Amino acid sequence: MGCQTAIAAQLIDQGADYVLALKDNQPKLHAAVAEAFADARAAGPGDWVPAEQDVARSLTKGHGRIERRRCQALSDPAWLAWVDPTGAWRGLRTVVQRERERRVGETVSVETHYYLASLPPAARTLGQAVQRHWGIENCLHWVLDVTFREDESRVRVGDGAETFAVLRHLALNLLRQESTHRGSLATKRFRAALDTDYLAILLAGLRADRQTPGAGQT
């Protein structure tokens, strides 16, 4: 959802860089990037300019599992032109492939993900950026699922699903920033359902945000 040309352009215009996850909902672009890496691997490093590709590997062990990660970055102009022939992706400098092999006992699983980046082809740096993003995303989705039962929601009509998603994020932020009551997010949420005074304290966070100088300005 976040891998869109408009988002890439906005980030570049605001002086930022991006590493955007490429999913199957963009099948042509996904296939083009996958083909670029398949051909690069088949050709071998001897046919490529060293500054235009990089590979980083890592190995971690713990909690009964072994994870191997391989991150490869390509910035060859010919392949970037193949992936983005119209130049629609503002600032695109590198395409990234990240492979992860996970072993738990006798069970082995392999995942491959692709990314578009405005950064140079430094595979280790790009791999670390992806890893940090996964940690944030996993933490956020876990909290939304456990505390708000997001995955159990059956809202499907019109814009209902999107509207409720926004409300859940808003409620989560209010619960996190409230510091007068010590307890878990679930405890705070339950207390707000029973205690209107505490609910008022939570909602006061909205007023505080609106009164903050520069809040809501772009």
Side-chain angles (χ1 to χ4, degrees), residues 195-211:
D195 184 348
T196 55
D197 291 336
Y198 182 65
L199 177 61
I201 293 174
L202 287 174
L203 295 178
L206 290 173
R207 190 179 304 112
D209 287 343
R210 294 184 65 181
Q211 293 176 349

Side-chain angles (χ1 to χ4, degrees), residues 79-153:
W79 279 119
L80 293 182
W82 165 257
V83 169
D84 183 25
T86 63
W89 293 92
R90 181 91 60 84
L92 179 63
R93 295 180 63 184
T94 306
V95 289
V96 184
Q97 179 191 63
R98 191 171 186 274
E99 299 171 307
R100 184 176 69 163
E101 178 189 276
R102 184 179 184 185
R103 295 176 177 267
V104 181
E106 299 298 324
T107 303
V108 179
S109 60
V110 179
E111 298 177 352
T112 302
H113 301 274
Y114 299 98
Y115 301 84
L116 307 180
S118 62
L119 296 168
R124 186 170 302 278
T125 299
L126 290 165
Q128 291 172 348
V130 170
Q131 186 69 18
R132 287 195 295 268
H133 173 75
W134 277 5
I136 295 171
E137 284 292 301
N138 288 340
C139 179
L140 174 62
H141 291 306
W142 184 85
V143 170
L144 288 172
D145 185 30
V146 171
T147 305
F148 291 89
R149 302 294 184 189
E150 185 172 60
D151 288 349
E152 298 177 13
S153 173

Side-chain angles (χ1 to χ4, degrees), residues 43-49 53:
D47 296 336
W48 294 79
V49 178
Q53 70 166 324

